[in-house]
Amino acid sequence: MPDPVVTRFAPSPTGHLHVGGARTALFCWALARRAENDGSGGRFVLRIEDTDQARSSDAASAGILEDLAWLGILWDDGPEFSTHQEGRASSPPGVIGGDSRGVGPYYQAQRLDLYNEHIAKLIEADAAYPAFESPDELEAKRKEAIDAKVGYRYDRSALDIPRDERMARLAKGDDHVVRLKMPDEPITVHDQVLGDVTVGPDEFDDFIIRKRDGFPTYHLAVVVDDALMGVTHVLRGQEHLINTPRHIALQRALGFDTPTYAHMPLIFNPDGSKMSKRDKDKAAKKACKDAGVDAPPVASVSGEAFKKWMKDKTRQLPSDQLRELAAAVGVTLPEIDVEDFRRAGYLPGALCNFLALLGWNPKQKTADGKDLETFDNAFLAEHFDLKGIGKGQAKFDRAKLLSFNSDAIGRLDDAEFARVWRDWAGAYDPELVSKLGDDKIALFAGAVKPRCKTLADGRGVVQFALVDDDGYEFDGKAVHKAMLKGDAKGLEMLQTFAGALDAIDPWDAPTIDAAVEAFASEHEVGMGKIAQPIRVAVTGAGVSPPLGVTLAVLGRESVQARIERCLAFAEQA
RNA sequence: GGCCCCAUCGUCUAGUCAGGUCCAGGACACCAGGUUUUCAUCCUGGUAACGCGGGUUCGAAUCCCGCUGGGGUCACCA
């Protein structure tokens, strides 16, 4: 039996979950599930890397948990999380995470003793040493190196201090960092995606493993935790490739096994730039600049904050403020974080499917001989493998994602669609729910579904039912085309039909459709001559869902009132 | 700039490891038709790629070298 596979996703809680991170998490999850399905055992660990005290926040880590759970990427070991959501039929009660193997806690800030224990061992063995230079001193040396156009490396001047003295200063509590003595030999990473990558010793200096504030650096924490948590496979973005030799050196110094590594290509914007959280601020800044906005257009942003933000390319606004501001200047922010896609009305399954294909390929055919592209997370759990990960960098193609999303929506049956649409609106468009109610949402489902690429699109389709009977404008062109053009037959038909409304019983979509058809043949006109005038009358425009549904949702009284209002309008025109 | 990674239609990719079945297949987008009372859905067809230059070989998208291009990384961030 093959060895059990333990993977982990280890985000730092400095903001929402980025789609790149989501893909990494998905693959890590899938690899563990796959191993489990193969009978060799698999666990997926979620660990929060909050060793940067200044940038980490509880809100961010809660958001990441939420985003992962929404995507259906559920962890075995890690922070406990309730998947139940109030008011959502689609999320049954349940708690995931926990520490069944006893290798927690899963927040690094709670593991300081563990790190210090290992750092002490390293110092004891002379594999690491305290260094007492101040950040300013180091900065000066770094600048010197840059001016001389040579690569900067730490010069090991701390080692000039006799060992006894170093240890004495350490014991006394002098401000210091701890550095690892890097071995003077090349290190090879056996990467499952890229093959062997060897980096020479000149590329590394004695990097810091514990900061002045007593917190470990990422390098130390990640190596200690992965080893203590039994992680066997590390999947991460290619930006970490160059860190891996450092981690291997650390593992050797600590006597740990080296896990299997797989570094995957990064995800880019269509213009080739790296897909970054800052893109949202960038878009908003540009819109403000183009519109000549020089004071904050919303109350939630202070004048000073706005000014600073506009001036500094790297400065970011809190996401809710940014959204408000974007709405005020009328710009649509690009979706970057998982939360953005959720808000925009994407289905988690479609996002996962698309993300999985961005860098991985199942290399399977469908029944009709085409490349298999549509699959769910359960498929990944059964078929995901490291071999299918590509090497090339990928651009994030929104059009294709959109297509995946509308296909995924199309595969829902009407009842399922009504449920996810309602759940989505409950969170992001409460007015829709309050005005329509669950009944009309269900009534609309079949008509709205094929007209939606995202759940947010639904609003446009049902807009006519959201307004009062006198709360919409008639499109003059549409009225003319449907009713007044030529012999004004449309207008006549509409008048006649208005008088026949009471005879339709029951008032539901099939009966209404049948009645309209009967009306057309009785009066010897094509469907277009009667359906279009009615459509324009009750919605104001020539485009709407099928007539039966449109009228059924509005209700008989509304239809009557709207037709009468339209008749009055047409006579004036 | 040093080091490292990558390179097939506009985009995501299959094919590359084990060279011929590939004048390169699929998907999205785009274009043209068709179905439909509107819109959308849906159906059919089409345009479109092996970055460049050298090798190796009877034969290269596939192997080798160089070039070009893209990317990553050089923090007391992760």
Side-chain angles (χ1 to χ4, degrees):
Chain A
M1 185 164 96
D3 294 331
V5 167
V6 180
T7 61
R8 50 72 167 177
F9 179 59
S12 58
T14 56
H16 274 290
L17 180 63
H18 181 268
V19 285
R23 186 189 60 171
T24 304
L26 180 64
F27 288 178
C28 290
W29 170 87
L31 192 67
R33 285 291 81 86
R34 164 79 198 274
E36 190 178 49
N37 282 332
D38 285 354
S40 49
R43 296 202 72 79
F44 173 55
V45 178
L46 178 64
R47 183 176 68 225
I48 304 295
E49 308 220 324
D50 53 354
T51 55
D52 183 346
Q53 287 183 286
R55 296 202 304 153
S56 299
S57 78
D58 290 348
S61 73
I64 290 172
L65 263 40
E66 169 70 33
D67 291 338
L68 285 170
W70 178 72
L71 288 169
I73 302 172
L74 307 181
W75 52 100
D76 304 306
D77 303 332
E80 289 196 359
F81 179 82
S82 167
T83 55
H84 178 58
Q85 293 248 335
E86 213 52 57
R88 290 198 169 212
S90 51
S91 50
V95 173
I96 56 170
D99 189 22
S100 63
R101 291 189 299 142
V103 293
Y106 297 93
Y107 288 86
Q108 289 186 328
Q110 297 169 17
R111 299 171 63 83
L112 259 31
D113 290 349
L114 250 20
Y115 305 131
N116 284 330
E117 214 175 278
H118 287 89
I119 290 168
K121 270 191 221 163
L122 251 17
I123 294 174
E124 190 53 39
D126 234 5
Y129 57 91
F132 303 93
E133 296 91 344
S134 71
D136 289 347
E137 278 174 71
L138 290 174
E139 193 46 49
K141 285 186 183 177
R142 191 173 290 124
K143 190 168 180 303
E144 229 171 78
I146 291 168
D147 290 347
K149 293 191 172 165
V150 291
Y152 170 77
R153 297 176 64 209
Y154 176 65
D155 59 8
R156 284 191 165 172
S157 54
L159 289 177
D160 295 342
I161 306 170
R163 185 167 196 272
D164 292 350
E165 194 185 326
R166 283 204 309 263
M167 298 309 273
R169 288 183 66 179
L170 179 64
K172 195 160 61 108
D174 279 8
D175 269 3
H176 70 282
V177 300
V178 178
R179 289 178 181 271
L180 183 81
K181 264 188 198 163
M182 274 300 274
D184 192 28
E185 61 194 15
I187 294 177
T188 298
V189 182
H190 303 292
D191 190 90
Q192 296 301 298
V193 173
L194 302 170
D196 286 0
V197 178
T198 302
V199 184
D202 289 352
E203 299 309 313
F204 302 103
D205 62 0
D206 291 349
F207 63 94
I208 293 170
I209 59 176
R210 186 170 66 200
K211 300 178 262 188
R212 190 163 301 257
D213 66 5
F215 275 67
T217 58
Y218 155 75
H219 303 295
L220 188 278
V222 95
V223 165
V224 169
D225 286 344
D226 282 348
L228 264 35
M229 293 178 179
V231 171
T232 60
H233 291 70
V234 174
L235 268 74
R236 38 154 69 149
Q238 231 172 70
E239 77 264 27
H240 286 295
L241 180 61
I242 204 72
N243 287 329
T244 307
R246 288 184 241 266
H247 297 173
I248 291 175
L250 216 32
Q251 285 149 3
R252 288 177 184 163
L254 251 9
F256 293 148
D257 288 341
T258 292
T260 300
Y261 284 102
H263 290 91
M264 42 203 184
L266 273 13
I267 300 175
F268 295 88
N269 287 317
D271 68 2
S273 63
K274 194 175 166 185
M275 210 171 167
S276 141
K277 299 180 186 200
R278 281 184 199 155
D279 291 351
K280 286 193 280 184
D281 291 78
K282 204 170 135 192
K285 279 173 199 173
K286 185 177 183 302
C288 285
K289 212 176 153 192
D290 291 351
V293 177
D294 51 9
V298 288
S300 61
V301 184
S302 76
E304 199 191 340
F306 181 79
K307 226 171 136 184
K308 272 190 188 165
W309 174 75
M310 281 296 278
K311 256 173 54 188
D312 184 352
K313 268 191 197 167
T314 62
R315 191 173 279 266
Q316 292 174 258
L317 239 36
S319 58
D320 45 345
Q321 289 182 15
L322 187 64
R323 234 177 2 253
E324 225 182 296
L325 190 147
V329 295
V331 65
T332 309
L333 263 20
E335 297 97 357
I336 304 290
D337 299 320
V338 169
E339 147 82 355
D340 299 333
F341 289 98
R342 181 178 183 176
R343 178 181 303 276
Y346 288 86
L347 264 33
L351 225 207
C352 285
N353 189 179
F354 176 74
L355 247 19
L357 236 24
L358 217 56
W360 181 77
N361 195 287
K363 303 183 199 293
Q364 290 190 25
K365 297 283 182 189
T366 59
D368 54 352
K370 296 180 171 176
D371 291 359
L372 177 70
E373 285 204 331
T374 304
F375 48 78
D376 57 12
N377 288 2
F379 174 89
L380 283 174
E382 209 170 324
H383 298 283
F384 180 77
D385 60 353
L386 263 21
K387 269 183 79 176
I389 299 178
K391 294 181 178 186
Q393 49 211 11
K395 285 175 186 156
F396 194 94
D397 182 0
R398 276 155 209 290
K400 186 153 181 170
L401 204 215
L402 207 53
S403 165
F404 270 49
N405 201 57
S406 37
D407 288 351
I409 286 176
R411 283 192 301 274
L412 299 173
D413 67 38
D414 290 358
E416 284 171 328
F417 175 77
R419 204 185 65 216
V420 302
W421 186 32
R422 204 226 86 99
D423 278 356
W424 175 86
Y428 299 111
D429 191 0
E431 193 203 30
L432 185 85
V433 180
S434 65
K435 284 208 168 168
L436 242 37
D438 288 1
D439 290 352
K440 285 186 179 177
I441 285 179
L443 217 52
F444 255 135
V448 172
K449 198 177 66 170
R451 291 169 176 77
C452 277
K453 287 186 190 298
T454 68
L455 297 173
D457 290 344
R459 177 173 255 274
V461 180
V462 304
Q463 186 61 36
F464 72 91
L466 263 23
V467 297
D468 293 336
D469 291 342
D470 55 1
Y472 60 98
E473 302 281 319
F474 292 108
D475 173 353
K477 274 187 194 161
V479 170
H480 179 80
K481 189 176 172 199
M483 299 168 215
L484 307 176
K485 220 170 82 181
D487 55 6
K489 187 83 176 165
L491 187 64
E492 185 196 324
M493 285 297 108
L494 185 61
Q495 272 163 338
T496 315
F497 184 77
L501 245 33
D502 285 342
I504 302 176
D505 185 64
W507 189 260
D508 60 25
T511 313
I512 294 167
D513 277 330
V516 174
E517 258 176 74
F519 183 90
S521 60
E522 184 189 328
H523 294 271
E524 297 182 331
V525 292
M527 279 295 281
K529 271 280 177 268
I530 177 60
Q532 277 309 93
I534 300 173
R535 191 187 311 279
V536 172
V538 302
T539 70
V543 175
S544 90
L547 202 58
V549 178
T550 301
L551 300 193
V553 167
L554 285 171
R556 196 194 308 265
E557 288 73 28
S558 239
V559 170
Q560 186 88 52
R562 288 180 180 211
I563 289 180
E564 274 162 23
R565 194 174 140 242
C566 183
L567 255 16
F569 175 87
E571 272 154 25
Q572 269 183 11

